C-alpha cells in the first residue's frame, strides 16, 4: 500500500490498483487471495504478479521487500501507464 497501490476487496480476492504519484488511477492491477491459510507465494504466483505490475521477477521482489520506492517504481513503469 505504501508503494501507491489501492486495495479493493471482493469476495475471496483483493484487487490492488496502482495510483500514480499525481493521484491518477492507472491500468496496472494485480490480485491476491485472502484465504484463511497464510502462506508464502510460490515462484509461479510471483511471476504472474510481476507481469501484472509490469516488473521483472527481481524487480517485483525489490518492490515487495521495500528496496524500491514508489518514485522508482513509477519511473520504471512510465511506458506502461
Amino acid at each position: 500500500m505504501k508503494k501507491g497501490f489501492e486495495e479493493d476487496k471482493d469476495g475471496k480476492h483483493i484487487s490492488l490498483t496502482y495510483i500514480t504519484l499525481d493521484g491518477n488511477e492507472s491500468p496496472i492491477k494485480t490480485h491476491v487471495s485472502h484465504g484463511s491459510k497464510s502462506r508464502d507465494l510460490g515462484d509461479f504466483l510471483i511471476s504472474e504478479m510481476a507481469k501484472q505490475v509490469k516488473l521483472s521477477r527481481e524487480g517485483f521482489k525489490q518492490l515487495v521487500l521495500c528496496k524500491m520506492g514508489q518514485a522508482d517504481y513509477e519511473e520504471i513503469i512510465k511506458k506502461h501507464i
Side-chain angles (χ1 to χ4, degrees):
M1 305 314 285
K2 293 179 183 178
K3 303 297 170 57
F5 286 88
E6 186 175 273
E7 183 179 287
D8 180 36
K9 292 182 181 180
D10 179 24
K12 293 184 179 181
H13 296 92
I14 298 171
S15 296
L16 300 172
T17 302
Y18 180 68
I19 307 299
T20 63
L21 287 168
D22 58 4
N24 295 315
E25 184 175 307
S26 79
I28 295 177
K29 299 177 189 302
T30 190
H31 310 279
V32 293
S33 175
H34 61 88
S36 61
K37 293 183 180 180
S38 176
R39 62 186 174 108
D40 291 335
L41 294 177
D43 288 336
F44 175 75
L45 287 178
I46 289 171
S47 293
E48 290 301 303
M49 291 178 78
K51 286 179 201 174
Q52 291 171 346
V53 299
K54 313 300 185 204
L55 290 172
S56 66
R57 281 176 37 89
E58 186 58 35
F60 180 74
K61 287 179 181 180
Q62 296 297 312
L63 185 70
V64 171
L65 295 173
C66 297
K67 295 181 179 180
M68 178 189 303
Q70 184 176 0
D72 298 323
Y73 174 60
E74 192 157 316
E75 189 62 37
I76 291 170
I77 62 163
K78 273 186 178 177
K79 62 185 173 207
H80 298 287
I81 57 176

